[in-house]
Amino acid sequence: MPVRRSRDVPLLVERARAGDPRAVARLITLVESGDELLPEIAAALAPHTGRAQVIGLTGSPGVGKSTTTNELVRALRARDHRVGVLAVDPSSPFTGGAILGDRVRMQDHATDPGVYIRSMSSRGHLGGLAAATPAAVRVLEGAGCDVVLVETVGVGQAEVEVASLADTTLVLLAPGMGDAIQAVKAGILEIADVFVVNKADRDGADATVRDIQGMIALGERGPGEWRPKVVRAVAARAEGIDDIVAAIEKHRGWLVEHGELRRRREARAAAEVEAIALGTLRARLGSLRSGTSLAALAARVADGTTDPYAAATELLHQLEL
């Protein structure tokens, strides 16, 4: 059976680990579609995960995330790292479709066997990622990637989910886009391990850097806590990319030294397990909704013969929780 239609999980994992991009693509497709094989895929990948460095890139639309990602791939490949890229694009609220532009922007690496690039539609999922992104990261880890870059959609202040997925989070800013004002607001700017002021050849770059540094100085940090770095770059000219890589490596060293890498990965695993459990619970609740139990309980609540909390407790008992 061709790889693109194969459902032989051990074979797909074996081929993915051997560097077959079609097998990697097939596994991620199965993950994205929520296929019934997902538990088997996760079990087969588990012994090969947990070794890759996961780097998140986020920021407002237009700050140059894709260009920066493209240049980071180039720099990491120069260091002989095998690199995976998950680029999440926003999906239409009407059709569910998406223009997967990052695959177009990163054509420079299309023929490099040491790079795997996958665009994913957010499919309406909030937080800047797609719901399947954590599982897709595991696929790339299992396929032998040393570094996985996760680029979010253009996000707002509250869409900070990438920080819970990444070992190191880069927040990209650009002069003249209002970021100097946003620097004093809560939200996305609080999740950065490294700030990248991209398009630093523009007027206002110095002011943006000062504002970010001022925000960092106002933050309360205990002895030995990580102080976010601020790096200037002009990604379109590949300027400052080595400085970004150096800041990422310095942060990773701090993570290892302070045991934070382990803590972050355990928190990531906990969030993933919780999401899977909640998804299973929602599916079971959905099956109840189509039956008579929920309808009967709802009628009793509406009649005032029971209350919503007691009805919910009874419903949970029916789920054998």
Side-chain angles (χ1 to χ4, degrees):
M1 179 182 293
V3 168
R4 68 176 181 273
R5 294 195 300 271
S6 175
R7 297 179 64 80
D8 185 337
V9 172
L11 178 61
L12 285 171
V13 171
E14 180 184 346
R15 289 186 178 181
R17 290 195 53 75
D20 184 347
R22 292 171 299 178
V24 178
R26 179 61 177 155
L27 286 169
I28 294 180
T29 296
L30 291 170
V31 162
E32 278 194 285
S33 63
D35 194 275
E36 61 184 14
L37 291 175
L38 194 49
E40 185 181 348
I41 292 170
L45 290 171
H48 311 295
T49 58
R51 300 177 181 86
Q53 183 179 9
V54 182
I55 300 170
L57 296 92
T58 191
S60 302
V63 297
K65 294 189 299 296
S66 297
T67 305
T68 303
T69 300
N70 189 58
E71 294 304 323
L72 280 174
V73 170
R74 197 186 313 279
L76 292 166
R77 288 295 293 142
R79 291 163 171 77
D80 202 30
H81 292 310
R82 190 173 180 187
V83 183
V85 179
L86 292 174
V88 184
D89 285 285
S91 57
S92 166
F94 303 104
T95 66
I99 297 176
L100 304 180
D102 296 281
R103 190 172 297 175
V104 176
R105 296 188 186 104
M106 298 182 196
Q107 285 300 306
D108 294 351
H109 309 292
T111 59
D112 185 344
V115 179
Y116 183 86
I117 300 169
R118 176 73 173 228
S119 293
M120 303 177 71
S121 168
S122 65
R123 301 187 182 186
H125 184 77
L126 300 179
L129 300 178
T133 305
V137 167
R138 288 186 174 275
V139 171
L140 292 180
E141 285 186 300
C145 289
D146 302 302
V147 181
V148 177
L149 300 174
V150 181
E151 179 192 330
T152 74
V153 303
V155 297
Q157 291 175 334
E159 294 168 305
V160 295
E161 189 177 344
V162 68
S164 66
L165 178 66
D167 300 324
T168 299
T169 301
L170 310 185
V171 172
L172 274 66
L173 312 167
M177 298 189 68
D179 292 306
I181 302 298
Q182 305 307 325
V184 297
K185 292 187 177 182
I188 189 172
L189 296 184
E190 295 183 346
I191 67 171
D193 298 304
V194 178
F195 289 102
V196 178
V197 179
N198 191 31
K199 306 181 183 182
D201 53 342
R202 291 184 176 181
D203 292 340
D206 290 342
T208 301
V209 170
R210 284 196 303 270
D211 286 327
I212 298 302
Q213 290 175 333
M215 183 199 71
I216 294 171
L218 290 173
E220 295 183 3
R221 292 178 179 81
E225 288 190 33
W226 175 254
R227 183 184 177 91
K229 305 300 178 187
V230 184
V231 181
R232 298 170 184 253
V234 184
R237 299 204 299 256
E239 296 176 5
I241 302 301
D242 287 341
D243 293 335
I244 298 174
V245 174
I248 291 170
E249 291 177 347
K250 188 167 185 178
H251 182 246
R252 182 175 177 81
W254 177 87
L255 289 172
V256 172
E257 180 183 351
H258 291 80
E260 183 69 10
L261 183 63
R262 177 71 180 180
R263 190 201 68 77
R264 289 193 181 197
R265 291 188 172 183
E266 287 181 355
R268 182 196 312 168
E272 190 173 1
V273 170
E274 181 181 14
I276 292 169
L278 288 173
T280 302
L281 179 58
R282 289 191 189 99
R284 294 171 68 181
L285 283 171
S287 65
L288 283 179
R289 183 178 291 275
S290 62
T292 59
S293 298
L294 183 57
L297 287 169
R300 288 166 54 194
V301 172
D303 292 340
T305 56
T306 189
D307 64 88
Y309 288 93
T313 300
E314 187 173 337
L315 188 65
L316 291 174
H317 282 312
Q318 292 180 28
L319 291 171
E320 298 180 355
L321 293 177

